[in-house]
Amino acid sequence: MSTLTPEKLHVNKIIWPGTHDSATNKIGIPFISRPFARTQSLSIYKQLVMGTRVLDIRVQEDGRVCHGILVSYHVDVVINDVKKFLSETESEIIILEIRTEFGHDDPPEFNKYLEDQLGEFLIHQDDSVFNKTVAELLPKRVICVWKPRKSPQPKHGSSLWSAGYLKDNWIDTDLPETKFESNLKYLSEQPPVTSRKYFYRVENTVTPQADNPVLCVKPVTNRIRPYGRLFINESISRGYGDRLQIYSTDFIDKDFVDACIGLTNARIEGKL
């Protein structure tokens, strides 16, 4: 964001590079259960350094990162990586989505934990944020969306954002064409970024299915990863380019980030 002129870069004009199931690099048991759940090979810190600006974190009751029944390190590891990155940069804004995983209970007093850990960086829940520039938000740096399963949702004006501020339309398929067209369909139904007060995420991912002999994540999701730039081009050609906002992937790489930066820069220059 520092290279895109924070004084001109509005929050609702950014194409935010994101990662799906961001904290799964150490999940499960190596070579045994890990290949069935790991969607990222880099640590949170290394993802942020590469250019990731939206993190998707799932937790269970004891505060450990999880995906279904498989568990990983404590969420402290994620928070510490985020704080390390923030300490090394000056104008990067991060969207940190943390949710209680399906089938699990909320960690007790987790909203207080997040406020205690990130309080000095937290951008408060406020619809006016979408029309502000990055420079206007600084020195605050983190939009933290907390999605509990049973606990009360964060309220307007609080330091955490409620679930309705980050939306998506995830479908469970291992077929790239099905996911590609579904993503375009749901994107077409969203208002333009300049007229909505929520973040909308598109995930360039597919998911292993039980009726398919290939159950490891990487070979399955690699079927759609080469089409990351094509999706951006197709969105623009169909007239949906002004609706794309958060764009997430498995096993993020520099080319994916560069594609998001390029589209963001085109918006800043008024070319899109």
Side-chain angles (χ1 to χ4, degrees):
M1 294 178 185
S2 60
T3 63
L4 293 171
T5 315
E7 293 78 16
K8 297 181 180 180
L9 182 58
H10 287 81
V11 169
N12 60 11
K13 295 291 184 68
I14 299 169
I15 304 296
W16 301 75
T19 48
H20 163 240
D21 239 340
S22 307
T24 53
N25 58 310
K26 298 291 186 182
I27 202 161
I29 302 172
F31 307 111
I32 299 176
S33 58
R34 185 170 297 169
F36 301 104
R38 184 169 73 167
T39 61
Q40 308 297 330
S41 56
L42 301 177
S43 68
I44 295 297
Y45 173 74
K46 289 182 178 179
Q47 290 177 44
L48 291 169
V49 170
M50 180 172 286
T52 301
R53 292 297 176 267
V54 181
L55 298 171
D56 161 21
I57 310 297
R58 294 98 182 278
V59 295
Q60 60 184 24
E61 188 176 10
D62 63 1
R64 294 175 73 186
V65 171
C66 65
H67 182 73
I69 62 172
L70 298 180
V71 297
S72 185
Y73 40 69
H74 195 274
V75 72
D76 284 346
V77 175
V78 173
I79 300 300
N80 289 337
D81 274 7
V82 167
K83 290 196 287 189
K84 179 182 179 183
F85 176 76
L86 293 174
S87 73
E88 296 173 352
T89 57
E90 295 181 354
S91 55
E92 302 301 315
I93 306 293
I94 297 169
I95 299 175
L96 174 61
E97 178 199 36
I98 304 187
R99 72 179 88 173
T100 302
E101 177 71 311
F102 180 79
H104 293 276
D105 291 329
D106 302 324
E109 299 186 339
F110 197 65
N111 57 332
K112 185 178 184 301
Y113 165 81
L114 293 171
E115 290 167 347
D116 289 346
Q117 291 292 319
L118 296 169
E120 64 180 301
F121 301 110
L122 292 174
I123 298 167
H124 285 223
Q125 184 183 149
D126 185 346
D127 287 358
S128 69
V129 165
F130 293 93
N131 293 319
K132 290 184 176 181
T133 64
V134 168
E136 289 174 318
L137 296 179
L138 299 175
K140 304 297 185 181
R141 312 273 300 282
V142 179
I143 295 171
C144 185
V145 182
W146 165 225
K147 296 183 174 181
R149 298 198 65 80
K150 297 178 181 178
S151 303
Q153 288 282 332
K155 296 181 179 180
H156 185 78
S158 73
S159 57
L160 304 176
W161 294 61
S162 56
Y165 280 102
L166 204 170
K167 302 179 181 182
D168 55 32
N169 293 99
W170 181 80
I171 68 163
D172 189 13
T173 181
D174 60 356
L175 301 174
E177 184 177 0
T178 300
K179 186 62 175 286
F180 193 95
E181 290 299 328
S182 173
N183 282 342
L184 285 168
K185 173 185 177 293
Y186 285 118
L187 183 64
S188 73
E189 296 170 355
Q190 306 307 312
V193 292
T194 53
S195 63
R196 66 179 186 237
K197 302 299 181 183
Y198 61 88
F199 295 101
Y200 185 75
R201 173 172 50 205
V202 171
E203 291 186 333
N204 188 57
T205 62
V206 288
T207 310
Q209 301 296 304
D211 60 354
N212 191 302
V214 182
L215 295 176
C216 294
V217 172
K218 195 160 191 176
V220 173
T221 201
N222 276 351
R223 298 171 186 168
I224 197 170
R225 288 178 69 235
Y227 302 109
R229 284 183 178 269
L230 178 63
F231 182 83
I232 292 176
N233 292 338
E234 193 66 15
S235 299
I236 294 170
S237 68
R238 296 194 192 187
Y240 315 147
D242 61 347
R243 304 170 199 194
L244 193 58
Q245 191 169 44
I246 295 176
Y247 192 34
S248 294
T249 186
D250 291 329
F251 302 103
I252 196 164
D253 57 26
K254 188 176 183 298
D255 184 70
F256 187 88
V257 173
D258 285 347
C260 295
I261 293 172
L263 186 53
T264 301
N265 197 49
R267 283 181 173 174
I268 294 172
E269 294 177 355
K271 297 177 181 178
L272 184 65

